[in-house]
Amino acid sequence: MQLSTESLLIILLVGAVAGWLAGQIARGYGFGILGNIAVGIVGALIGSWLLPQLGIILGSGIVASIVNATVGAILLLVVLGLVRRGSRGFWRR
């Protein structure tokens, strides 16, 4: 599979917007701007896999991609935040 420069830029843009949105929605679980962008890109992968598995189809287009990636990024931020907070309590024992 070969990605064009345009496709790569769109993926990065969608990930950046989704990561920023997820950071705004899931306050307290953020990792800073660069971390949230990375979470948005990984969240796009999670959202594009998970939502169809649940029978949720948002359609096509850039807005649907951003919503899809934002849902995945929020889930990822919450899980990472819980793991990060849980590991702090574990190591203090």
Side-chain angles (χ1 to χ4, degrees), residues 22 26 29-31 39 72-84:
Y29 292 106
F31 290 94
V39 165
I74 290 170
L75 291 173
L76 183 61
L77 276 176
V78 169
V79 168
L80 289 175
L82 291 174
V83 167
R84 184 170 66 175

Side-chain angles (χ1 to χ4, degrees), residues 35-89:
N36 284 351
I37 290 171
V39 165
I41 293 169
V42 174
L45 296 172
I46 292 171
S48 65
W49 173 80
L50 181 64
L51 292 180
Q53 295 294 320
L54 298 174
I56 302 170
I57 308 294
L58 298 175
S60 62
I62 193 80
V63 174
S65 297
I66 291 172
V67 171
N68 207 3
T70 302
V71 169
I74 290 170
L75 291 173
L76 183 61
L77 276 176
V78 169
V79 168
L80 289 175
L82 291 174
V83 167
R84 184 170 66 175
R85 288 182 182 173
S87 66
R88 286 183 192 159

